[in-house]
Amino acid sequence: MSAQLQLAAVLRDLGAAWSPHDTQRQVLSALFSKRLPLVMGENGRKWGKTEIQVYTLSRWAMTRPGAYYYFAPFAKQGREILWEPQRLQTFLGDNAKRYIDSVSDQDMRVTFRNGSFIKVDGTENYNAYRGVNPHGIVIDEFKDHRYQFWEAMEPNLATHQATALWAGTPSETDEPFIAKITSQARECGGYFNFPTECNPHISKEWLATKRRQLYDLGDGAVWEREYMARRVHGGSGAIIPMFNRGRHLVPHDDLIELIRRDWHKFEWIITCDPGTASVFAVLLSCYNPYRKTIYHLDCLYLESQS
């Protein structure tokens, strides 16, 4: 059978297994039509990221023999999300036996007849993946991954010019390495942001009820992050839940003027968080004990060990 006929057969069988909705097709176009090296999706819960991940891994393995990996933050989490529900092993339905050679529950590995394999794992033991040569990787729930994993894995992608698919809901904090990946995905046209409501299979009435419940509980930030896929800081679980950028961030010149009036009354504070294996953080603040006001002036976030 010619390569074109083989591809047509694979696409036919994949199409029989799953039909994407409109916004999912946009992500698939970036992966398979445009062949972008980096694709990142910050999407609401139940938007359908897991289906895209399984489809992508299966299509890669069926059409391009190689080593493919699904990474959750922890191996146990990957087993619970993808492996135990049999979402990967049974994705192809009755056509699975035509492509799959073996399934190893111990290794969480599916091996295909063409020599490809898909392995499910976690990134807690990130040093174990130094030196592997994947042909494609999926990084799920990216906000919970350690930056050390990406430092160990990124150089490995060069061998086969492997594609990386990042997926998850927005983070509550601005992790520097996540911000870097987001910027790179935007630059190459591979960044996508879709709320839960884009999934036509999710009840709009259910979403409306959930929104009302969360806002009534004071957890509006959870709704915005988890279902609207917006980068919103704060909420009832935040250290400073009342923080508001519009009210609490002021231009530098205005801040200096506020301090200048009573500069001799201020206590000047340097707070250090000396990370030994990651970053060294320094916060510069001043506190007026008479007015009960505190101003955070600047910060240093040093990632270089030197």
Side-chain angles (χ1 to χ4, degrees):
M1 184 183 295
S2 69
Q4 288 185 334
L5 289 176
Q6 287 181 336
L7 177 59
V10 167
L11 295 180
R12 178 199 63 212
D13 292 338
L14 286 168
W18 175 64
S19 178
H21 57 68
D22 289 343
T23 51
Q24 287 173 325
R25 289 192 183 95
Q26 295 182 42
V27 179
L28 293 176
S29 175
L31 286 164
F32 296 104
S33 297
K34 299 177 182 177
R35 291 183 177 273
L36 300 181
L38 173 63
V39 175
M40 181 183 197
E42 283 189 300
N43 305 308
R45 295 292 180 191
K46 304 304 177 184
W47 169 81
K49 66 179 177 62
T50 304
E51 287 78 10
I52 279 192
Q53 292 168 349
V54 175
Y55 176 93
T56 297
L57 287 165
S58 299
R59 181 165 169 176
W60 280 343
M62 294 159 67
T63 58
R64 294 183 288 170
Y68 300 97
Y69 295 87
Y70 166 94
F71 289 111
F74 301 96
K76 183 177 180 180
Q77 188 176 5
R79 181 175 286 277
E80 292 297 324
I81 293 173
L82 210 63
W83 193 260
E84 287 299 332
Q86 300 279 308
R87 302 180 80 168
L88 176 62
Q89 305 95 305
T90 63
F91 179 71
L92 293 170
D94 294 338
N95 292 315
K97 59 185 178 182
R98 186 181 304 170
Y99 299 97
I100 294 177
D101 181 62
S102 63
V103 175
S104 172
D105 182 67
Q106 182 177 357
D107 294 338
M108 291 194 288
R109 183 191 301 258
V110 176
T111 302
F112 289 74
R113 296 187 184 278
N114 65 358
S116 291
F117 71 80
I118 300 171
K119 180 173 174 56
V120 176
D121 206 351
T123 60
E124 63 268 47
N125 187 13
Y126 48 83
N127 283 321
Y129 280 97
R130 294 185 184 273
V132 301
N133 295 305
H135 292 75
I137 63 173
V138 168
I139 302 172
D140 197 8
E141 301 298 348
F142 59 77
K143 68 180 181 181
D144 297 321
H145 286 273
R146 298 181 180 183
Y147 75 91
Q148 292 97 327
F149 162 72
W150 189 237
E151 287 184 348
M153 175 58 70
E154 186 178 22
N156 299 337
L157 306 184
T159 303
H160 300 295
Q161 299 181 43
T163 298
L165 170 60
W166 293 66
T169 52
S171 174
E172 298 178 32
T173 58
D174 292 324
E175 293 291 341
F177 93 100
I178 296 297
K180 180 180 178 181
I181 296 298
T182 304
S183 177
Q184 292 173 346
R186 289 182 187 277
E187 288 177 5
C188 73
Y191 175 80
F192 297 92
N193 180 260
F194 296 116
T196 303
E197 63 187 19
C198 288
N199 186 342
H201 306 295
I202 300 297
S203 166
K204 299 297 187 292
E205 291 76 17
W206 186 91
L207 287 172
T209 299
K210 176 58 67 175
R211 182 185 187 280
R212 184 173 62 254
Q213 290 173 345
L214 288 172
Y215 267 96
D216 287 348
L217 291 170
D219 278 332
V222 174
W223 165 261
E224 298 296 333
R225 278 194 305 269
E226 299 294 315
Y227 295 93
M228 297 306 294
R230 293 170 179 160
R231 291 192 177 186
V232 178
H233 298 179
S236 61
I239 297 173
I240 309 177
M242 72 292 293
F243 178 75
N244 180 284
R245 289 177 178 270
R247 290 172 50 214
H248 298 122
L249 290 183
V250 299
H252 180 264
D253 290 344
D254 295 347
L255 177 61
I256 296 301
E257 186 59 32
L258 287 171
I259 296 171
R260 194 192 308 276
R261 302 170 188 170
D262 299 308
W263 69 268
H264 57 287
K265 298 178 181 179
F266 278 93
E267 296 177 9
W268 303 85
I269 306 164
I270 298 178
T271 306
C272 300
D273 181 10
T276 56
S278 54
V279 299
F280 194 112
V282 180
L283 181 65
L284 308 177
S285 312
C286 61
Y287 171 63
N288 187 332
Y290 303 98
R291 294 182 177 273
K292 307 299 183 184
T293 53
I294 186 168
Y295 299 99
H296 297 301
L297 309 175
D298 204 349
C299 65
L300 303 176
Y301 194 84
L302 309 176
E303 298 184 68
S304 172
Q305 292 301 302
S306 62

